[in-house]
Amino acid sequence: MTALLTQEALDALHPFAFETDQTGIIVRVGRSLRKLFPEVVEPQLWSDLFELVQPSPQASNDSLFALVGEVITVVNKRDSRLRLRGQVVCNDDNRARYMFSLTPSLWRAEQLQELGLDITDFEVGTIIFDFLVYAQAQKQARDKAAQARGRLEWDAKIGKLLHQISLETYSATSRREAYHITISSVCKTLDWEVGHVLERVGYGSQYLASSGLWYISDEEAYKELRAASEGCFFSDGEGLPGKVLETSKVVWLHDATSDPIFFRRKTIQKLSRVSAIAVPIMVQGRIEAIVEFFTRKNAVEQETSYQFFQLLGIQLSRLMDRLESQQKEREQLALLAQSAKMATLGEIAAGIAHEINNPVSTISLVGHIIKRLAQNGSVSNEDLSPQLDRLELCVKRIAKIVSELRSFSRDTPVDGFQSVSLKALVEETLDLCHARFAHGNIALRVLDIDPSWSAECRGVQISQVLLNLLSNAYDAVVGMGSAWIELSVADRGANYEIAVTDSGMGIPESIAANMMQPFYTTKPLGKGTGLGLSISSNIMIDHRGSLSLDRSSVHTRFVVKLPKSQSPQHQEELRAIG
């Protein structure tokens, strides 16, 4: 095997330099080492001459492949006073040979003389210095490049994770849903074992307690932590959550098993080292929740990891603020809807009273007839039976009207979607208002509705929409000659189309452009709230349908588009067909 360097080149590099092949066989030594080891005339293992003491005597003495770039210390096996220190270098040749540049640690003249050396043996050329600096710089560059690649990969990973959480929580309708998505995504992506959410015990409370929301990949290992956490209340300064409450910042414990801040540490001490991090979630400037994460893994790039959890907290805080605002908006809309519903009932109250008054009058008349028969002493089954049947029909009629009123008037913003017969829904709605139309001399036409047609909806809310449209149509045409209103239902594939058309000649564009806005009305003061169409439109949006004015119709025509189903698959089909 050919040596990498000539003898003269090796001597010029460093008097204590020597060169090995990839197996550790010395193939060339410098002039000082030739003095120390004149018997080295045949190739031999470097470990026959030296014993490695740094970095570890357990390292292989037969091959130094793993030590390239490392600073090492060796001891001369013949004389332990001769400790040589240097750096393992390599010229990156394909033959993978190695050169060691060593400098004795003994400098006293008498010691050098005892070893057969003099000061000239320590003359060092500039070539070896440059080579060592270059080798060290190359190693540092490689290390920095590897670190930079790892940091970039980590930054890309956590950036993608933040984006993923943002997308998945965008459509969340509750805090719990958003928190569940977050802790699951973080733990699965980072391969951390535990995610946990603590929330305020009640509005305005100073205490935090477990929300019961957990992600745990190893239930057995963390069962004691879970049990302890679900039995604790935290206030300022108490435990890890308390530290977050106190500072309003992300708190990271690199080893929670021994950190006195973490008073639940006994539950995880058997796990050796566990990192814990707690992230504050702010709602309207106040910490309303804290998200905890635990892992036995060494955190990658702790500085950027800390920044990630800061950004996660900010992102979640903004989301919770948005959900809080949406909840308040829903509550406000529900109140407005209920107010508008009561206003509508007020408008049709006279008709309802008339509807009830008729059967009440009939009951009174039947009672008088029965009383007179009883006085004449001529009561028989043949006489009583038809009168009692009339009484039963009247009572059922009153009960039906009262039931429909009660159902319509109750507050139902959180009712679930149910399958509702459209024919029955329309009939119940008309029961509340047809007396009003008859009293106003308005012909009310209802086209045939297939009894098998049903839609997944909140029936009371759809009835409110129809009643609002019918009431608006009444106000628009009452007093007109030959006034009429028509209600029809048509099957349009994925949707039902419910249309309310009146004999009016349409709505001016200036009014049509604003009529869906809250509190916009053209009715006289005290006559209308201006909420009917706005609330009806919101109800239909909540049903993933729509309410619109048909501008192509000669007469005033409003169209309600109601999906047949509220299932996600059905909604995908609706989006696909536009």
Side-chain angles (χ1 to χ4, degrees):
M1 184 176 290
T2 305
L4 290 177
L5 302 169
T6 65
Q7 187 64 62
E8 292 76 12
L10 190 64
D11 288 340
L13 284 175
H14 197 287
F16 284 93
F18 66 95
E19 182 188 4
T20 76
D21 65 13
Q22 55 196 9
T23 65
I25 296 292
I26 295 176
V27 294
R28 192 77 62 186
V29 298
R31 65 175 186 274
S32 297
L33 287 185
R34 288 200 303 276
K35 285 185 180 182
L36 287 173
F37 306 105
E39 71 276 14
V40 182
V41 292
E42 297 292 336
Q44 65 184 101
L45 283 173
W46 75 278
S47 57
D48 292 340
L49 305 178
F50 306 111
E51 180 178 1
L52 180 67
V53 295
Q54 181 66 32
S56 170
Q58 282 75 38
S60 172
N61 281 323
D62 295 331
S63 174
L64 294 173
F65 179 82
L67 299 178
V68 172
E70 298 287 344
V71 175
I72 66 169
T73 301
V74 295
V75 175
N76 180 6
K77 285 186 174 181
R78 188 175 64 184
D79 190 333
S80 61
R81 293 177 301 168
L82 184 62
R83 299 173 67 87
L84 306 180
R85 181 175 174 79
Q87 186 177 33
V88 183
V89 296
C90 173
N91 69 349
D92 295 327
D93 186 81
N94 290 334
R95 289 170 290 186
R97 297 185 179 186
Y98 304 92
M99 181 186 69
F100 299 77
S101 173
L102 304 173
T103 303
S105 61
L106 303 176
W107 288 93
R108 298 211 319 262
E110 61 271 20
Q111 291 175 318
L112 297 178
Q113 290 171 358
E114 289 176 10
L115 293 171
L117 302 173
D118 56 50
I119 195 65
T120 60
D121 289 308
F122 295 90
E123 293 176 358
V124 179
T126 59
I127 299 177
I128 185 64
F129 176 78
D130 292 342
F131 187 82
L132 290 177
V133 170
Y134 170 77
Q136 183 66 20
Q138 288 291 91
K139 182 177 184 299
Q140 290 176 350
R142 288 194 296 271
D143 290 345
K144 287 182 179 179
Q147 291 174 359
R149 283 195 300 272
R151 188 177 297 110
L152 286 172
E153 291 172 359
W154 173 251
D155 289 349
K157 186 175 186 178
I158 61 177
K160 183 178 179 182
L161 176 57
L162 279 173
H163 182 63
Q164 172 192 337
I165 292 172
S166 177
L167 289 177
E168 293 183 358
T169 56
Y170 181 77
S171 58
T173 57
S174 68
R175 292 185 183 184
R176 292 184 68 84
E177 182 184 358
Y179 284 136
H180 176 72
I181 291 170
T182 299
I183 60 177
S184 299
S185 298
V186 170
C187 289
K188 289 177 181 178
T189 303
L190 302 186
D191 199 21
W192 283 26
E193 297 97 306
V194 178
H196 175 222
V197 180
L198 301 106
E199 291 185 302
R200 292 280 181 187
V201 176
Y203 182 76
S205 171
Q206 63 176 330
Y207 295 105
L208 286 170
S210 174
S211 66
L213 280 172
W214 290 83
Y215 174 90
I216 304 181
S217 62
D218 189 343
E219 288 282 354
E220 183 62 29
Y222 290 97
K223 65 180 181 181
E224 292 182 17
L225 172 66
R226 180 169 188 167
S229 299
E230 292 186 345
C232 289
F233 291 85
F234 300 91
S235 61
D236 287 9
E238 294 179 342
L240 177 59
K243 189 67 176 177
V244 177
L245 286 173
E246 193 174 56
T247 62
S248 297
K249 295 180 179 179
V250 173
V251 177
W252 192 321
L253 306 181
H254 298 294
D255 187 4
T257 61
S258 60
D259 199 310
I261 291 177
F262 193 69
F263 63 66
R264 292 169 285 168
R265 59 185 177 275
K266 288 185 179 180
T267 65
I268 55 173
Q269 280 179 341
K270 64 182 180 181
L271 303 179
S272 184
R273 181 183 178 280
V274 176
S275 291
I277 189 164
V279 182
I281 309 301
M282 313 287 289
V283 179
Q284 297 183 351
R286 183 172 186 261
I287 295 177
E288 290 296 330
I290 289 175
V291 183
E292 298 180 319
F293 296 97
F294 299 88
T295 182
R296 283 172 282 181
K297 303 181 183 300
N298 289 325
V300 180
E301 292 292 339
Q302 288 185 354
E303 182 179 350
T304 53
S305 297
Y306 185 84
Q307 292 172 354
F308 161 73
F309 285 107
Q310 284 182 312
L311 292 173
L312 179 66
I314 293 170
Q315 183 170 296
L316 275 178
S317 295
R318 289 174 178 170
L319 173 64
M320 296 307 156
D321 265 332
R322 178 170 63 82
L323 289 175
E324 179 82 2
S325 298
Q326 289 176 345
Q327 178 62 28
K328 288 183 177 179
E329 184 180 351
R330 283 194 294 268
E331 291 172 357
Q332 188 65 31
L333 286 173
L335 288 174
L336 288 174
Q338 190 67 9
S339 299
K341 191 188 297 184
M342 294 300 103
T344 302
L345 281 179
E347 291 177 2
I348 63 175
I352 294 173
H354 180 73
E355 244 344 75
I356 294 177
N357 191 53
N358 284 339
V360 168
S361 297
T362 302
I363 290 173
S364 177
L365 177 62
V366 170
H368 180 72
I369 292 172
I370 294 175
K371 183 178 179 181
R372 189 177 60 186
L373 290 173
Q375 289 174 345
N376 294 335
S378 59
V379 179
S380 66
N381 288 337
E382 290 77 11
D383 294 327
L384 281 177
S385 183
Q387 303 303 329
L388 292 175
D389 287 341
R390 291 176 67 188
L391 281 176
E392 185 178 5
L393 287 173
C394 290
V395 169
K396 286 182 178 179
R397 177 61 181 160
I398 294 171
K400 186 173 186 292
I401 294 171
V402 171
S403 176
E404 289 166 355
L405 276 173
R406 182 184 298 156
S407 175
F408 181 78
S409 62
R410 71 190 181 92
D411 191 6
T412 58
V414 293
D415 280 2
F417 292 105
Q418 296 180 339
S419 181
V420 175
S421 166
L422 294 186
K423 185 177 180 64
L425 178 65
V426 169
E427 289 176 350
E428 290 172 5
T429 303
L430 294 178
D431 280 342
L432 296 175
C433 63
H434 76 80
R436 184 188 186 203
F437 287 94
H439 182 72
N441 294 318
I442 298 172
L444 181 60
R445 303 196 295 260
V446 179
L447 303 188
D448 287 342
I449 302 173
D450 191 324
S452 66
W453 289 352
S454 64
E456 197 174 343
C457 63
R458 297 186 178 102
V460 174
Q461 290 187 337
I462 302 302
S463 179
Q464 181 178 358
V465 171
L466 297 182
L467 200 55
N468 281 333
L469 295 178
L470 290 167
S471 181
N472 286 347
Y474 174 91
D475 290 337
V477 301
V478 68
M480 293 174 54
S482 302
W484 55 266
I485 296 174
E486 180 182 276
L487 190 150
S488 64
V489 181
D491 188 338
R492 300 298 187 212
N495 300 290
Y496 289 113
E497 186 179 278
I498 307 173
V500 175
T501 310
D502 62 54
S503 54
M505 301 309 294
I507 296 176
E509 188 62 34
S510 59
I511 296 176
N514 299 298
M515 64 185 182
M516 295 292 184
Q517 299 299 318
F519 304 107
Y520 180 83
T521 181
T522 58
K523 297 178 182 179
L525 184 64
K527 182 65 175 175
T529 63
L531 292 172
L533 288 178
S534 173
I535 289 170
S536 297
S537 179
N538 285 329
I539 288 174
M540 295 317 304
I541 290 172
D542 190 47
H543 279 73
R544 298 178 175 85
S546 65
L547 169 63
S548 61
L549 174 67
D550 183 0
R551 288 180 167 83
S552 65
S553 174
V554 174
H555 298 285
T556 306
R557 183 173 186 265
F558 281 89
V559 177
V560 173
K561 185 181 290 185
L562 177 65
K564 293 181 177 178
S565 172
Q566 296 293 327
S567 68
Q569 295 84 355
H570 185 73
Q571 295 305 316
E572 288 295 331
E573 293 172 7
L574 289 178
R575 279 191 285 271
I577 64 177

